[in-house]
């Protein structure tokens, strides 16, 4: 690190078997004033003690002083999300995560901390609500915050628990949103009319993922492709789509704008349909 003469931009440390001490780690960071990315999210022996609970904020504060230009910071916080713990110490962050390290059944509820983070992190334009319970109170807080006017990407992937109504509320409220990823079909279910309402609420969506194993069918896909001029579409194990879904896309305005199309586990699409 010292040989980079302070020009290092990204530092990711995996601690498997590492004997690196916290003091040495901080000395490394102080020598990297230009650092933009810092990732110590793996199980770090040197950080287990000092970054648990309330002490996590102390470590984050020290790190932010050492590397004031950080835009992407990942620390291990078992009990709470980054938005509720350390994110507020990094005002240049671009992505705000509400996922806890142990996400099963987790619901972000430290609203006072979240509100401070949303005010402090003035560059955030990505929000990750992955693998957590998204309550109406949390959505209301996000939509009352300054992020409402600049959010571009909303990721609600994995096992996030959120209702279609709250997704529509986000679509209506985040007027600059262009990217939306929905939860897995195992936990999220919506009628075709939901996709019609979604396209009506936010026709500026350019990248869309209905979620792994989504229940979206041909009608729902047509609604989103007609109402939004998509540039990116992800379809993963969407078993309710028929082999005619590709033709349905081609009959919508999205056929003229689509630049990236991802298929994962969609066995119903034949070679002829893909061509």
């Amino acid at each position: 690190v010292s040989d980079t003469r302070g020009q290092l931009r990204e530092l990711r440390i995996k601690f498997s078997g590492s004997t690196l001490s916290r003091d040495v780690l901080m000395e490394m960071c102080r020598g990297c004033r230009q650092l933009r990315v810092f990732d110590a999210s793996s199980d770090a022996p040197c950080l287990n003690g000092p970054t648990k609970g309330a002490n996590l904020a102390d470590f984050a504060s020290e790190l932010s002083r050492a590397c004031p230009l950080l835009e992407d910071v990942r620390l291990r916080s078992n009990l709470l999300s980054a938005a509720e713990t350390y994110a507020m110490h990094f005002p240049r962050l671009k992505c705000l995560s509400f996922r806890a390290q142990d996400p099963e059944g987790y619901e972000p509820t430290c609203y006072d901390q979240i509100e401070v983070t949303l005010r402090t992190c003035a560059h955030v334009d990505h929000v990750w609500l992955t693998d957590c319970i998204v309550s109406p109170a949390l959505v209301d807080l996000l939509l009352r915050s300054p992020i409402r006017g600049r959010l571009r990407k909303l990721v609600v992937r994995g096992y996030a628990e959120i209702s279609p109504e709250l997704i529509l509320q986000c679509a209506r409220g985040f007027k600059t949103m262009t990217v939306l990823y929905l939860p897995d079909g195992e936990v999220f279910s919506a009628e075709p009319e939901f996709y019609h309402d979604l396209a009506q609420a936010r026709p500026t969506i350019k990248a869309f993922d209905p979620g792994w194993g989504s229940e979206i069918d041909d009608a729902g896909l047509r609604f989103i492709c007609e109402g939004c001029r998509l540039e990116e579409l992800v379809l993963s194990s969407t078993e309710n789509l028929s082999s005619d879904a590709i033709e349905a896309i081609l009959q919508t305005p999205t056929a003229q704008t689509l630049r990236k199309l991802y298929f994962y586990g969609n066995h119903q699409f034949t070679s002829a349909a893909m061509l």
Side-chain angles (χ1 to χ4, degrees):
V1 171
S2 59
D3 287 344
T4 67
R5 299 181 180 179
Q7 297 304 306
L8 201 66
R9 297 298 195 272
E10 185 170 327
L11 181 60
R12 300 181 186 271
I13 304 176
K14 303 302 181 184
F15 290 92
S16 178
S18 174
T19 58
L20 184 69
S21 71
R22 171 179 167 160
D23 290 342
V24 170
L25 178 59
M26 286 310 307
E27 184 178 352
M28 291 167 58
C29 293
R30 292 189 191 100
C32 303
R33 298 284 293 180
Q34 300 297 316
L35 207 62
R36 302 300 197 274
V37 178
F38 179 81
D39 184 352
S41 57
S42 64
D43 196 7
C46 68
L47 301 183
N48 278 346
T51 62
K52 293 293 184 181
N55 289 327
L56 182 61
D58 295 334
F59 179 82
S61 179
E62 188 176 356
L63 177 62
S64 68
R65 291 193 298 272
C67 306
L69 301 180
L70 281 168
E71 299 173 347
D72 182 354
V73 179
R74 304 181 191 190
L75 303 175
R76 188 177 182 88
S77 175
N78 289 342
L79 301 179
L80 300 172
S81 68
E84 299 165 281
T85 50
Y86 63 82
M88 65 185 67
H89 295 281
F90 304 97
R92 299 180 65 88
L93 284 184
K94 294 184 177 180
C95 178
L96 188 60
S97 173
F98 287 83
R99 185 187 188 278
Q101 200 72 32
D102 185 8
E104 185 174 356
Y106 178 70
E107 179 179 351
T109 57
C110 298
Y111 299 126
D112 290 345
Q113 297 290 88
I114 294 171
E115 191 168 4
V116 172
T117 298
L118 291 171
R119 288 200 309 267
T120 303
C121 298
H123 297 273
V124 167
D125 60 6
H126 292 33
V127 166
W128 289 68
L129 295 168
T130 302
D131 293 329
C132 68
I133 299 172
V134 183
S135 67
L138 178 59
V139 170
D140 288 342
L141 179 57
L142 291 171
L143 290 175
R144 291 197 312 269
S145 74
I147 201 174
R148 175 175 183 167
R150 63 172 183 271
L151 184 135
R152 295 190 302 107
K153 183 174 183 177
L154 181 62
V155 178
V156 202
R157 266 180 170 164
Y159 288 94
E161 296 182 29
I162 186 171
S163 68
E165 292 74 24
L166 284 181
I167 291 289
L168 291 175
Q169 185 178 344
C170 289
R172 296 186 186 103
F174 293 127
K175 299 186 183 301
T176 56
M177 185 175 72
T178 59
V179 180
L180 177 62
Y181 298 159
L182 296 181
D184 291 356
E186 187 174 333
V187 294
F188 184 80
S189 178
E191 298 297 324
E193 290 73 18
F194 162 78
Y195 299 98
H196 172 271
D197 295 343
L198 178 60
Q200 292 288 310
R202 189 53 47 217
T204 55
I205 292 174
K206 295 181 179 180
F208 182 67
D209 180 354
W212 184 275
S214 169
E215 295 181 358
I216 191 170
D217 60 11
D218 290 13
L221 184 62
R222 179 183 289 273
F223 281 138
I224 202 74
C225 290
E226 283 183 344
C228 302
R229 292 180 176 271
L230 298 180
E231 296 177 6
E232 177 181 319
L233 177 62
V234 181
L235 297 173
S236 306
S237 294
T238 45
E239 296 181 359
N240 286 352
L241 291 178
S242 74
S243 57
D244 297 327
I246 300 297
E247 185 63 30
I249 296 174
L250 295 176
Q251 296 174 4
T252 69
T254 287
Q256 304 301 317
T257 58
L258 196 62
R259 298 295 179 266
K260 297 179 182 179
L261 181 58
Y262 299 96
F263 288 110
Y264 302 101
N266 295 289
H267 305 294
Q268 68 274 42
F269 299 141
T270 64
S271 299
M274 296 293 291
L275 291 173

